Amino acid sequence: MGEKRSVSNFLRIHRSFIVALDKIRTYSARHIEIAQQELPIGPLFRPRVEEVLG
């Protein structure tokens, strides 16, 4: 069947967004870019995003 993905391959960056780590193209303190789409990083999730991607 379909490919199983590990939960650790995903990161919540905002209340409305969870992203696959292998799809992140670039990131800054406030945004993540995936497939030429810029998604916001929520203030509550910023420390975890920096921990994982930093």
Side-chain angles (χ1 to χ4, degrees), residues 8-45:
S8 63
N9 188 44
F10 292 89
L11 178 64
R12 180 173 292 278
I13 63 166
H14 190 276
R15 286 188 334 182
S16 302
F17 300 109
I18 297 175
V19 299
L21 293 174
D22 59 341
K23 302 298 182 185
I24 296 173
R25 294 183 55 158
T26 62
Y27 69 95
S28 68
R30 296 185 178 248
H31 296 94
I32 284 181
E33 184 181 322
I34 293 181
Q36 299 174 354
Q37 177 110 26
E38 201 171 77
L39 303 175
I41 299 173
L44 295 175
F45 299 95

